[in-house]
Amino acid sequence: MANFLRFWLSFGLLITLSLQQSAPLVFRDAEPPKIAGKQLLVRGARYHNESHHSHLEPQRKDSFYWTASQNGQPAFAEFVVETDDDTSVVSMERFKYLLKSVHCTNTSLAVDFKNQKSFEYTKRAWKWVNEIERNTLIVVAGTGQCGWNTHRLPFAVSKIEFDDHTKTAKLQARRSEWKDVFYSFELSVGRVAKEEVHDTCVAPQHMKRKEHEKTLTMSFDHLWDLPQKDFSTPEDAFSLTLSCDQCGTKGSFELGFYLRNEKHVPKAATFTLTAHGVSARIGPKLTLSGDFTEEYSQQFDLAKIPIYGYSIPGVLDLGPEIVFSLGFSVGPVSGSASISSGIDISLLDSAELKIDLLSPHVVHSGWTPQVRTEPVKVDAQIEAGVNIHAKAAIQLAAEALGHGFEAGVNLKPVLGATLSLSESTAGVCANDEKHHVFGVSVAPSAGVSLNAEITRASDKGNPLAKLTIADLKEAIPDACVGFGPVVANSSLPAKRDSSGMASNQSDADSLPTASSSQVHQRYHRRHHHHHGRRH
């Protein structure tokens, strides 16, 4: 008669996206590229041939750039704005060489020009602001141009006075936020290859790349430091030791973010993840000893990896964090044994995942995980229910110009097994040359699921979509481990069934041995006690 034991090992690797509040890496202003060869969308064309002063022309469309350095790799951001019929934009960075001084307050700008020609050109180009009350000129001051501003600032100008004597344009202006003055725009953020580093001699059309090529690199190379950890409950004479010295993740992800807005309304928003050498290894060992019928569970963080966020003041906050944790639940338990197994998960190099945050849907290439498993090992007779789960959580979100976005990718490898404790006068395990009287048969299973989840930053509890990217099952051969005394005449092998167990079980419940008696005591005690839960 066989005692039946169900034993589960499950491992979860979770990747989700949420906002990190740690100190961010702040992007710095980048010089705009030359605009020679590009047709400007300007208010008037009659002064367009005066290229020396063309940067003074109010534009319906303009671009701003930022850069940052991350682990020796240049990161890049591009912000393209477009105005309506009553609004135009100029960047003071583009014509700073024409200015003698700039004075800014929260309600005004005073721009003093070096020469009369530049001043006269400005009078002609900007006079339309005073023609109709609703006309607005957005003047963007570069970092430090006001003397006190630590980042770019937009000012909404509603009226201009020109002082011919001092060659000064006095602007009645309101210091503003980017989101309050630009309602149509494109924002692309990411990393560029070194040969593509921003060059002021390169025209904008030559700088343009697909948004998924603009990525930030996030390291995923972390060894989980979990030395032997002991747990015990003296009242139940129960002890547990958990270790995971072969656990961790490797590789890196490249992240891209893209947002397109039209008249206040987001029309496109995507996260892009590209894997480079990404893998996860989970190989825990659990040692159990006890005799109780309840369930004992614990969960704890192993480490929080401080990955700095990224910030473009007033435009974007993007923040990742990685949290590693481990948890388990055991019970009922009767006996003592060590149990171990392992699973390796990897993604193809350059596997790309693009998450559409608005539709929502996922487009991916090469994101079918590759799985390698190890057999479940048990070194003694035991009855137990066990569940072990590991979690590596990459949390990431973007807050861009008043819009919040979150998404998640959940990579969940699972390893399970059903263990049956049996005894037989013919020997239990087919592959056991010594024909032990007792044995534990292992029927393992393994798989991995890869899912995406998309949520609104303002409503995290109600995901917009949960999408399955991959769901794989891995076939693992059954196994059987023999224990205890051996059959007296071991030269005569017993007949075996398809699972590797001995088919002759006629004397299984009547062996006059101490081990047999102990097995029966465990079986009857387990099936006649109420199963509670302990936390």
Side-chain angles (χ1 to χ4, degrees):
M1 182 69 179
N3 286 336
F4 183 76
L5 167 66
R6 188 168 182 84
F7 166 51
W8 291 102
L9 280 174
S10 65
F11 304 96
L13 177 63
L14 173 65
I15 301 179
T16 56
L17 303 178
S18 138
L19 187 60
Q20 157 87 2
Q21 298 294 336
S22 61
L25 172 67
V26 179
F27 279 67
R28 64 184 182 276
D29 298 355
E31 290 288 333
K34 285 188 176 181
I35 56 176
K38 179 182 178 181
Q39 181 67 35
L40 287 175
L41 295 174
V42 298
R43 285 290 165 189
R46 57 177 175 164
Y47 310 114
H48 197 197
N49 58 346
E50 298 183 59
S51 59
H52 185 63
H53 293 105
S54 61
H55 293 307
L56 292 166
E57 289 283 359
Q59 299 182 42
R60 297 196 304 270
K61 188 173 184 178
D62 205 351
S63 300
F64 299 89
Y65 304 92
W66 289 265
T67 61
S69 179
Q70 178 200 33
N71 299 324
Q73 291 285 351
F76 179 81
E78 179 183 24
F79 184 41
V80 180
V81 299
E82 189 169 355
T83 64
D84 56 28
D85 293 337
D86 303 322
T87 307
S88 292
V89 57
V90 292
S91 170
M92 287 203 299
E93 294 171 271
R94 298 183 188 273
F95 55 85
K96 61 184 178 182
Y97 59 93
L98 300 175
L99 304 180
K100 183 178 180 180
S101 65
V102 177
H103 179 71
C104 315
T105 71
N106 288 334
T107 58
S108 67
L109 286 172
V111 183
D112 187 3
F113 289 87
K114 290 180 179 179
N115 59 67
Q116 189 67 30
K117 187 175 181 180
S118 299
F119 176 69
E120 292 296 332
Y121 190 100
T122 302
K123 287 174 63 176
R124 295 193 300 266
W126 294 7
K127 67 178 182 179
W128 67 273
V129 176
N130 296 327
E131 293 175 355
I132 302 177
E133 185 176 355
R134 64 174 178 268
N135 286 351
T136 303
L137 177 64
I138 308 301
V139 177
V140 179
T143 299
Q145 279 195 291
C146 290
W148 48 265
N149 61 315
T150 58
H151 53 82
R152 283 187 176 123
L153 281 179
F155 291 83
V157 179
S158 56
K159 186 177 180 180
I160 305 175
E161 294 181 5
F162 298 98
D163 188 331
D164 293 330
H165 179 68
T166 60
K167 300 186 292 294
T168 301
K170 299 178 180 179
L171 288 64
Q172 182 177 312
R174 182 184 73 257
R175 175 182 171 179
S176 304
E177 299 293 333
W178 293 91
K179 64 182 178 63
D180 296 328
V181 293
F182 295 118
Y183 312 130
S184 298
F185 55 81
E186 284 186 274
L187 175 64
S188 302
V189 186
R191 182 189 64 81
V192 294
K194 289 187 176 181
E195 62 270 17
E196 293 180 290
V197 175
H198 176 70
D199 185 340
T200 57
C201 296
V202 180
Q205 60 266 37
H206 298 144
M207 295 287 293
K208 191 67 176 178
R209 294 169 292 113
K210 296 179 181 178
E211 61 266 19
H212 70 260
E213 293 177 333
K214 302 176 180 180
T215 54
L216 293 164
T217 300
M218 299 186 301
S219 174
F220 200 55
D221 199 358
H222 303 288
L223 179 65
W224 300 4
D225 183 15
L226 181 62
Q228 182 172 298
K229 193 171 182 68
D230 298 317
F231 305 88
S232 63
T233 56
E235 64 273 18
D236 290 317
F238 162 69
S239 66
L240 180 149
T241 300
L242 177 64
S243 62
C244 195
D245 56 359
Q246 297 184 33
C247 296
T249 56
K250 293 183 178 180
S252 64
F253 286 100
E254 290 187 343
L255 169 68
F257 176 70
Y258 174 76
L259 174 63
R260 178 168 58 86
N261 221 51
E262 293 181 8
K263 298 185 183 301
H264 299 277
V265 180
K267 294 296 184 179
T270 60
F271 280 118
T272 304
L273 285 173
T274 305
H276 292 284
V278 170
S279 64
R281 162 68 179 169
I282 305 171
K285 182 178 180 180
L286 186 68
T287 300
L288 285 171
S289 179
D291 188 0
F292 71 101
T293 60
E294 297 182 354
E295 185 177 278
Y296 178 77
S297 62
Q298 285 282 339
Q299 182 164 325
F300 49 91
D301 288 342
L302 298 177
K304 291 187 178 181
I305 308 300
I307 297 179
Y308 291 110
Y310 307 92
S311 176
I312 302 174
V315 177
L316 174 72
D317 285 303
L318 184 65
E321 180 185 48
I322 300 179
V323 180
F324 295 112
S325 60
L326 197 65
F328 66 86
S329 62
V330 296
V333 174
S334 180
S336 300
S338 292
I339 304 164
S340 63
S341 187
I343 185 167
D344 292 274
I345 306 296
S346 61
L347 296 176
L348 292 176
D349 204 31
S350 297
E352 184 178 280
L353 177 71
K354 187 173 183 178
I355 304 173
D356 189 319
L357 301 167
L358 300 182
S359 300
H361 69 278
V362 173
V363 178
H364 62 92
S365 173
W367 270 68
T368 300
Q370 297 177 324
V371 183
R372 186 178 66 84
T373 60
E374 296 177 2
V376 176
K377 298 178 182 178
V378 57
D379 66 358
Q381 301 174 64
I382 189 172
E383 292 184 336
V386 180
N387 179 285
I388 300 176
H389 61 274
K391 181 170 70 174
I394 298 179
Q395 300 178 331
L396 179 69
E399 181 72 25
L401 296 119
H403 303 289
F405 302 96
E406 297 190 9
V409 180
N410 304 306
L411 178 62
K412 296 181 178 179
V414 178
L415 181 64
T418 299
L419 276 68
S420 300
L421 180 61
S422 304
E423 58 181 299
S424 171
T425 56
V428 175
C429 301
N431 60 348
D432 181 6
E433 295 181 355
K434 295 183 178 180
H435 302 290
H436 288 88
V437 173
F438 301 104
V440 177
S441 64
V442 183
S445 62
V448 58
S449 62
L450 185 60
N451 305 290
E453 182 174 304
I454 302 169
T455 64
R456 293 187 182 93
S458 59
D459 192 10
K460 300 178 184 179
N462 296 301
L464 295 174
K466 293 184 178 181
L467 308 169
T468 299
I469 300 170
D471 191 3
L472 307 176
K473 304 297 181 185
E474 292 291 315
I476 305 177
D478 292 352
C480 186
V481 181
F483 296 102
V486 298
V487 176
N489 187 5
S490 61
S491 61
L492 298 175
K495 295 181 180 179
R496 311 291 166 180
D497 60 24
S498 60
S499 67
M501 300 293 294
S503 59
N504 181 9
Q505 299 288 322
S506 59
D507 298 324
D509 293 324
S510 59
L511 284 175
T513 66
S515 296
S516 175
S517 175
Q518 185 181 45
V519 169
H520 283 288
Q521 289 174 11
R522 293 177 189 168
Y523 178 83
H524 291 296
R525 180 166 56 249
R526 180 184 177 192
H527 290 275
H528 285 82
H529 279 284
H530 172 70
H531 291 183
R533 175 178 291 269
R534 180 184 303 274
H535 295 282

